[in-house]
Structures are given as C-alpha cells and as structure tokens.
Amino acid sequence: MANGTIAVSPHTAEVDFYNVRTKHKGILSWLLTIDHKRIGIMYLFAVVFFFLVAMTIGVFMRLEMLTPGETIMKPQTYNSLFTLHGVIMIFLFIIPAVPAVFGNFFLPIQLGAQDVQFPKLNLLSWYLYVIGAVLALTSLFSGGGIMDTGWTFYVPYSIRTTTNVSLSVFAAFVLGFATILTGLNFITTIHRLRCPGMTWFRMPLFAWALYATSWIQVLATPVIGITLILIILERAFGIGIFDPALGGDPLLYQHMFWIYSHPAVYIMILPAMGVVSEIIPTFSKKAIFGYVPIAISSLGIALVGYLVWGHHMFSSGISDTSRVIFSLLTFFVALPSGIKIFNWVATMYKGSIEVTAPMLYVLLFIFIFSIGGLTGLSLGALNTDLHLTDTYFVVAHFHYVMFGGMGIIFFAALHYWFPKMFGKMYNEKVAKTAAIWIGIGFNMLYFPMFIMGYLGQPRRYYDYLPEFQKYHIFSTVGSWVLVSGILIMYINLAIALKRGKKAPDNPWGGTTLEWKTSSPPIMENFKEIPTVTTGPYDHSNMESQEVKK
Amino acid sequence: MSYNSDSSVQEIQEVHIHRDDFGSKMGMWLFLFTEILLFGGLFIMYAGYRYLYSDGFAAAATELDVLLGTINTVILLTSSLTVVLSIVALQKNNKQLSLFFLWVTVLCGLIFLVNKYFEWGAKFHHGIYPKGPALQNMSEGEVLYFGLYFVMTGLHGLHIVVGLIFIGYVMRQIQKDVITSVNFQKLENSGLYWHLVDIIWIFLFPLFYLIH
C-alpha cells in the first residue's frame, strides 16, 4: 500500500471534515451527521466521559478498602458501587471503546472507502448507545435504588432484590442492540467497500481484528439480549424460567449469560490487539512478522472464545465432564493469543524501534497482558480455580486483561491516531511521563490483589481481616498513582486539542491508508479512491517521508 | 467550528450514501442471523427443560388446540408465498398485482394475530398465565412449559407486528414509486424478514402443539 497510487497532496487548501459545509448547521451538524468520522468523535467523547465516571467510582471503592470495617461507606453502598463500576466500565466503556471510536473513524479510511456500508444505521447505533446510557443513569435515581447484583445479574438474587434491576438490564439490552448494529455494519463494510487492489490479505490487521470482533458481536449479543429480557419478564410476571421456586434452573441462566459474556471478553480485547498490530510495525519501521497468522489467529480467538464460557462456572455445580472439557478448551484460547504476542515481539526484533508515547503504551500492554494471560491459565486449570474462585485473584486477573489489555491500548490508540483525528500534536514528553505513571500505578494497584486473592481475600466484600491491610494500603496508594497518571494524560491531550501544533499528514511514518490523507481527513476521506498494490506494512518506500519532528 | 466558504462541497453528506443491493441484502442476512440466535437462546432453554421435565411438558402440550395451531401454520405459509409472488409481480413491472399480494400478506398476518389473541385469551380465561390460579396447581414442568409458551409465541407475535410494519412501509414506497421493478431491494429484505418469522413458527408449532 506504500506505493499506492493516491493523488492526495499534503497541506492543500482542501477543507477537513470539521470545517466542511454540511447540510445542517451548528450542533445539528453533529447530531444528524452520517459521517463515520464525526460519529467516531461523538463516541470518543461519550466513552471518555463514562470511563472517568466509572474510574471515580473505582477510586472511592479503593478508598473504602483502605481500612478494615467501615471507612467511608456502608456495605449496601459498596455493593451498588461495584455493580455500577462494572456495568459502566463493561457496557459503556470497554465494549464500545475501540470498535465504536477508532473502528468507526479508521475502518473505512483503512479500507480506502468513503464511509461504512450503512451510514444511517451507524448513526442509529450511536443513538441507541446514548439511549442505553441514559436508561442506565436513570435507573440510578428511580425505582428501588441502585442495582446491587454485580454486573453479572445472577439469578435468583437479581429476581428477588428490590433494587432497580429491570431498568438497568433493559439498558444493557439496548446497548447490546447498538453493538449488534455496529458489528453488522462493519462486516458488510469490509466485504463490500474495500478499495481497488485491497484484497483480504492486504487489509490492515486492525481491520482483520474488527472483522473477527464484529462476527462475535453479531453472533453472541442476541443470546444475552433474550436472557436479559427474560430477567425483566421474570421480575414482572414470574414466568419461572430462571426461578428455582417455580422449577427454573439458575445454572441455566449462568450458561446463557456466559455464552455471550465470555465471547464479549474477546469483543473487548480483539480490537485492542488489532491496534497493537498497527502501532508496532509503524514504530519498528518494519513490516509485521507473520501477517497471516495474526490475521487468522483473530478468527481463531473468536471461534474458540465462543466455546469456553463454562470456565466461569467451575464452582457453580456443573458436571466433571463439562468442567474438564471447558478447562481444555480454555487452554486452547491461549494459543492464538500466544501467536500474536510472539509475532509482535518478532516484529520488533532487528527493527528500528522508536519509543514514542503510543509505543510505550504498547510495550506496557505486552508486559501487563502477558501477566494477565498467564494468570488466566491458573484460573482455567480446575484445581487452582477451586482455590482462587471469587477471590481478589480473579479481580486482579481480569483487570490485568481488561484494563491492562483493552484500557491501556485505548490510550495507545488515542495517542497514535490523535494527530490524524484532530490535526494537532500533543506534548510527547508529558505523554510519556503519564504512560510511566500509569504503568507504575497500575501494577501497584492490581498486583497486590493477586497475592491477597491467593491468601484468600474474597472479592466484593466491603470488609476484610486486619492481616490483609498492608496489601490494601499498597493497592489504594497505587490507585492514586494510576489516577494521577490518567489525569495527566487526558489533560495533556486536552491542552493539545486547544493549543497543539498542527500535525503533519504522516507524523509517525505509518504505511496504512489513513496516513495517506490529510490530518484531519477531508469529508470524503480521499480526493480520489486509492488503489492498493502491496501489503499494508510495506516500509520499503518510506525513507522519503521521514518523521517531521 | 467555523465554516469555510467552499462552494464545491455542497451537500457533501450525500456522497456517503450509495446504492448497493448486494450489500444491503447481506446486511439483512446478518440481521436475520441475530434474530435466529435470539430465538436460539429460547430454543436451547426449551430443549433443556423438555429434557428435565418431559412428563410435565407432555401433559401441558395437550392443553393447546392443535386445529387452531394448524390453521395458523397454513395461514403463515400462505403469507410467505404471497410475499414471494409480490416480488415476482414487481419484477415484472406489475405494480397493482404486487400491492395486491402484499395486501393478502398483511391480511394473513392480521388473521394470525387474531387467532393468537383468541388462543391466549382462552388460556387466560382458564387461569393459565404466569402466577395464574390454574397454573399454580400444576407441576413445575407445566409451569415452565407455559412460561416458555407465552414468551416464545409472544416474542414471535411481536415479530409479526414488526414484519407487518415493514411491509406497510414498503407498500407505501411502492405506491410512491420509490420501490420499483429495478429497485426492489427493500421489498426483498422485508420479504426475507417475513420468511424468518414464518420459519420460526414452523419450529414453534411442532415443539408446542404436536409433541405430546
């Protein structure tokens, strides 16, 4: 693609998509837009807002755990807070963050298209997301109080509790619909709108990752949809399907829940892996090592990830046979993930590595995600899992995978594509400092949880035995370091947004199509539809476009 | 944001919309996948409980009226046929005939709903509804059978209503000559949706009415 025949000259008088004349004026030019870039930007501000909200809740939870017994809140408040933290982070931040923000903005551009296949449906997805978010927020201030079931809504408690479960669950249903429509849109876009010469195996790996993700979104989300609707019906009418008092089986609920929610874990991580596969070649100045295995392993993760839900239920009372099978399948998922890690590291080998802020985040990701992935195997093994289940070990594991995986890569993507999205450069030094703070704070916050969990500290308790206090103090202090790092990062980007230097078209020497157009891109993305003649990470012709410092 | 004056970019948003019948059909098929999985969840639960409570399920199934179920099946199958006929009619540029067949489809859908209304009404009348007096005296298997029955046929009925709305919208577009013999993808898509509703019923009918 490096020597694609694109006649886009840099820095012409071409009008970027922010300043282009649109059908509607002012705020309506955003709220009624069908431009994938504007929709991506709207998603960005929404997910960052919800991330900050859920992060604040997390800080308060850590503060409560500073001392044994009641520190700043009652047990019921703590129950509601960890539910809220989970629901907001999962449904409003982690699931939509990378696909809806960067996928929307960059998928069409990377494919050399002008927009997604169904632009109006895309806008509808954004509105469904906002409606879901508003419903979730409404549920906090109405009905019987803030939901206290945890983000998993396990029956029979979610049927019995008087808190406002129905509305929150409905919010999750609506958010699921938004996810489905985005996935449907992306699959069709990838099939139909690739530019001339863009064969399947010339697609950037980010597009491959989004393709695998979209299939999971389309195939898994409806199952949680019907399950959540059944909770609402159960609460409203008492139909009995999940109610043990009427003959229903709570275990069946857990199956139905995790049939979606385990693949959802890969909805969260796969797009992040796609971003990593973009950033590493760019800053190693080298083509990716093992393009095809990385592309195929995304599909592999999607496929195997569909079949491992039972490992969330090892201690719930499923049969030994199913436990052994699910445990074995769980180990299989580690294979495609391992393939990716090895290929990324091999890409850097003998490359000309430039440790910029995005690259620093990616390195941090490889370190953290490896710990998260390997501890996942301890949990996937039956005997260790029985000891560690429902302890802080699990909490530490999924924060290492989710936050360390997807969250850190969200930051990386934000720094990598910031110049392209906003046409401004940020302060590199501050960005790197923030990344280091985040790295230190993250490990301080979550690593002690592995130890605590191993020693038997159960999750979701607002209280603990005094001997755990030293770990809790360490962890809480870590949360302060982490949060200050995150705040420095966002403030640095906010300043760049206002006063940053104008970004060149290709500040990093990237080779994929988004670096061939202006920063920010024009409304139609390209002046003329590009034609692609090589693979996505061909650095052989990049010497002439040396990075402008 | 300020607006630069550049006259070449008027109505720029329009370029983002282009016609791609194949892509649009593909999107519809993906959507149908999601619908199948939505019902798939319910079918899995049905299978699980049928295995656990086979006696209760067999006893409860005798409460349903096979004749009414059969009539409804015939009605839905007919309506699927008329949707196909209406597409063919439009392709052959016979707008009136196409509209006629769609009217027949809508009529079939409505009759189906009316029958369903009487079926549900009869159950309610006998106290068979969640937490209803008759249901409380039944075994757990029967309670679950009727729980699933109301949820699955209810959700299916909802899909019929949505399908009718789609078809109604398409009929207006045909009248206004927006959907024509050379641009009929929307009609075909709503036809696909209608077939899906039909297929789901073809599974619901034997599972609830015929297996005793």
Side-chain angles (χ1 to χ4, degrees):
Chain A
M1 207 177 308
N3 41 20
T5 56
I6 313 161
V8 180
S9 52
H11 311 303
T12 51
E14 194 61 49
V15 188
D16 65 63
F17 75 97
Y18 291 107
N19 293 313
V20 80
R21 182 185 298 168
T22 46
K23 211 159 85 183
H24 306 279
K25 297 291 168 217
I27 186 76
L28 283 185
S29 74
W30 287 87
L31 293 180
L32 296 177
T33 187
I34 52 167
D35 177 32
H36 67 102
K37 298 182 287 298
R38 287 187 174 220
I39 293 174
I41 299 279
M42 291 199 291
Y43 266 117
L44 175 64
F45 283 97
V47 299
V48 167
F49 170 75
F50 287 114
F51 172 78
L52 292 174
V53 171
M55 182 188 82
T56 312
I57 295 172
V59 170
F60 281 119
M61 283 159 60
R62 273 322 313 166
L63 207 54
E64 165 58 35
M65 301 309 280
L66 193 59
T67 60
E70 189 183 320
T71 311
I72 54 164
M73 63 183 76
K74 299 256 179 259
Q76 182 64 30
T77 317
Y78 188 79
N79 288 354
S80 295
L81 284 194
F82 75 64
T83 303
L84 267 183
H85 174 78
V87 168
I88 296 178
M89 276 295 188
I90 301 265
F91 291 107
L92 293 173
F93 174 69
I94 302 183
I95 291 182
V98 172
V101 178
F102 302 109
N104 253 320
F105 200 107
F106 288 107
L107 178 68
I109 303 184
Q110 287 195 328
L111 297 178
Q114 294 191 325
D115 206 321
V116 291
Q117 175 81 15
F118 307 110
K120 287 180 183 165
L121 198 65
N122 203 15
L123 183 63
L124 176 67
S125 307
W126 186 77
Y127 274 103
L128 286 174
Y129 172 81
V130 172
I131 291 169
V134 169
L135 286 174
L137 293 180
T138 315
S139 75
L140 305 183
F141 307 107
S142 60
I146 304 175
M147 182 176 53
D148 56 353
T149 60
W151 79 277
T152 48
F153 321 116
Y154 269 16
V155 295
Y157 185 69
S158 60
I159 305 174
R160 306 265 190 274
T161 175
T162 54
T163 54
N164 203 353
V165 171
S166 296
L167 194 57
S168 323
V169 161
F170 186 64
F173 175 79
V174 174
L175 290 170
F177 222 105
T179 314
I180 291 178
L181 294 181
T182 304
L184 187 156
N185 218 337
F186 284 0
I187 294 176
T188 330
T189 303
I190 291 172
H191 274 274
R192 299 298 296 165
L193 294 183
R194 281 170 289 129
C195 67
M198 176 75 77
T199 57
W200 280 91
F201 287 102
R202 281 185 195 160
M203 284 201 308
L205 287 165
F206 182 57
W208 268 106
L210 284 176
Y211 187 66
T213 310
S214 303
W215 272 110
I216 313 178
Q217 285 174 330
V218 166
L219 294 180
T221 318
V223 181
I224 191 81
I226 190 64
T227 312
L228 295 178
I229 291 293
L230 281 173
I231 291 190
I232 298 173
L233 293 176
E234 198 73 66
R235 284 177 70 86
F237 304 112
I239 47 173
I241 294 177
F242 292 141
D243 190 344
L246 297 171
D249 189 348
L251 258 189
L252 191 61
Y253 170 82
Q254 295 188 16
H255 278 294
M256 301 307 290
F257 180 82
W258 288 113
I259 284 178
Y260 162 75
S261 294
H262 192 77
V265 168
Y266 301 104
I267 296 179
M268 304 170 199
I269 196 65
L270 275 173
M273 291 172 157
V275 175
V276 175
S277 308
E278 294 296 308
I279 293 178
I280 287 186
T282 298
F283 293 109
S284 304
K285 303 274 173 287
K286 205 166 151 251
I288 192 113
F289 181 86
Y291 172 92
V292 175
I294 294 184
I296 300 297
S297 66
S298 287
L299 295 178
I301 290 178
L303 182 74
V304 185
Y306 218 108
L307 307 171
V308 299
W309 75 86
H311 68 215
H312 294 271
M313 303 165 59
F314 283 161
S315 61
S316 304
I318 57 175
S319 75
D320 283 343
T321 318
S322 30
R323 289 201 292 182
V324 169
I325 291 170
F326 278 122
S327 178
L328 183 70
L329 287 170
T330 303
F331 289 137
F332 282 149
V333 188
L335 292 176
S337 317
I339 288 175
K340 280 180 193 284
I341 298 261
F342 283 123
N343 281 318
W344 292 328
V345 175
T347 303
M348 287 188 269
Y349 178 66
K350 284 190 177 173
S352 168
I353 301 173
E354 192 184 1
V355 185
T356 53
M359 189 65 175
L360 197 57
Y361 279 111
V362 165
L363 296 175
L364 193 60
F365 159 84
I366 293 182
F367 173 72
I368 292 178
F369 189 76
S370 300
I371 297 178
L374 291 173
T375 50
L377 291 180
S378 336
L379 290 169
L382 287 173
N383 39 9
T384 38
D385 182 71
L386 289 184
H387 175 68
L388 295 171
T389 202
D390 272 333
T391 66
Y392 265 43
F393 194 91
V394 177
V395 179
H397 160 69
F398 69 69
H399 280 91
Y400 263 79
V401 183
M402 295 290 90
F403 188 179
M406 190 273 142
I408 296 285
I409 288 306
F410 177 76
F411 301 157
L414 201 53
H415 285 86
Y416 182 59
W417 279 317
F418 188 89
K420 182 56 64 181
M421 293 173 94
F422 298 102
K424 300 282 176 65
M425 295 303 285
Y426 50 83
N427 184 326
E428 178 74 26
K429 221 172 184 172
V430 180
K432 275 197 231 173
T433 316
I436 291 166
W437 273 100
I438 289 173
I440 295 171
F442 182 94
N443 285 296
M444 276 180 75
L445 168 54
Y446 297 115
F447 201 83
M449 293 189 183
F450 280 125
I451 303 168
M452 277 191 271
Y454 184 74
L455 295 174
Q457 161 80 47
R459 70 193 279 206
R460 291 182 170 172
Y461 281 34
Y462 102 120
D463 196 1
Y464 54 86
L465 297 171
E467 59 258 39
F468 287 111
Q469 195 179 7
K470 53 179 184 282
Y471 303 108
H472 278 294
I473 290 176
F474 198 75
S475 178
T476 303
V477 172
S479 75
W480 300 335
V481 178
L482 177 61
V483 165
S484 31
I486 291 173
L487 291 181
I488 295 172
M489 180 197 77
Y490 277 129
I491 290 167
N492 183 37
L493 291 179
I495 291 173
L497 206 54
K498 255 189 129 52
R499 291 207 296 269
K501 273 192 294 187
K502 191 175 176 349
D505 287 353
N506 189 359
W508 318 125
T511 53
T512 40
L513 281 182
E514 75 267 32
W515 305 111
K516 303 279 195 274
T517 182
S518 54
S519 299
I522 55 171
M523 188 55 123
E524 304 92 329
N525 295 342
F526 302 98
K527 275 189 179 169
E528 51 184 73
I529 298 291
T531 304
V532 173
T533 52
T534 60
Y537 306 109
D538 185 353
H539 279 269
S540 51
N541 286 352
M542 290 308 291
E543 293 86 349
S544 52
Q545 301 186 20
E546 203 30 69
V547 183
K548 294 159 199 134
K549 285 274 162 61
Chain B
M1 297 283 168
S2 62
Y3 294 93
N4 297 19
S5 54
D6 184 343
S7 56
S8 67
V9 290
Q10 273 188 347
E11 301 294 320
I12 200 87
Q13 296 206 336
E14 307 305 329
V15 304
H16 289 248
I17 296 202
H18 67 292
R19 196 179 137 200
D20 175 6
D21 286 350
F22 186 87
S24 137
K25 197 195 281 190
M26 188 171 172
M28 192 64 202
W29 273 104
L30 287 170
F31 182 68
L32 297 184
F33 281 176
T34 70
E35 290 280 9
I36 286 172
L37 280 151
L38 184 85
F39 278 95
L42 287 166
F43 281 118
I44 289 177
M45 291 185 228
Y46 176 94
Y49 286 132
R50 169 130 225 144
Y51 176 75
L52 272 181
Y53 300 105
S54 44
D55 294 344
F57 269 54
T62 56
E63 300 274 344
L64 294 191
D65 188 338
V66 180
L67 180 65
L68 212 50
T70 313
I71 292 174
N72 262 351
T73 309
V74 172
I75 289 172
L76 266 197
L77 284 175
T78 313
S79 73
S80 252
L81 173 68
T82 51
V83 164
V84 176
L85 290 175
S86 92
I87 297 175
V88 177
L90 195 67
Q91 281 170 333
K92 300 202 163 162
N93 227 345
N94 193 339
K95 185 175 153 189
Q96 290 313 318
L97 188 64
S98 173
L99 281 172
F100 167 76
F101 280 127
L102 287 178
W103 271 117
V104 177
T105 312
V106 169
L107 197 68
C108 286
L110 290 175
I111 295 174
F112 179 92
L113 287 177
V114 170
N115 279 343
K116 208 79 233 156
Y117 169 79
F118 282 117
E119 258 189 303
W120 274 41
K123 296 278 165 306
F124 277 55
H125 186 70
H126 292 117
I128 301 178
Y129 51 88
K131 292 187 176 158
L135 209 59
Q136 282 182 344
N137 295 326
M138 291 184 181
S139 72
E140 287 181 338
E142 285 165 288
V143 172
L144 287 174
Y145 175 91
F146 282 108
L148 283 167
Y149 168 78
F150 283 118
V151 172
M152 291 174 89
T153 56
L155 193 63
H156 178 257
L158 200 64
H159 278 74
I160 298 243
V161 173
V162 173
L164 288 177
I165 293 171
F166 279 167
I167 291 176
Y169 166 78
V170 164
M171 287 169 77
R172 251 195 90 66
Q173 301 263 302
I174 293 178
Q175 261 162 357
K176 289 197 289 188
D177 285 324
V178 181
I179 298 177
T180 59
S181 60
V182 288
N183 185 7
F184 52 83
Q185 194 51 48
K186 277 184 187 156
L187 171 60
E188 201 178 336
N189 282 353
S190 30
L192 283 174
Y193 187 85
W194 193 257
H195 293 324
L196 171 93
V197 173
D198 192 12
I199 286 169
I200 289 169
W201 178 257
I202 287 174
F203 282 91
L204 288 180
F205 174 59
L207 288 180
F208 281 106
Y209 291 78
L210 297 184
I211 306 177
H212 286 285

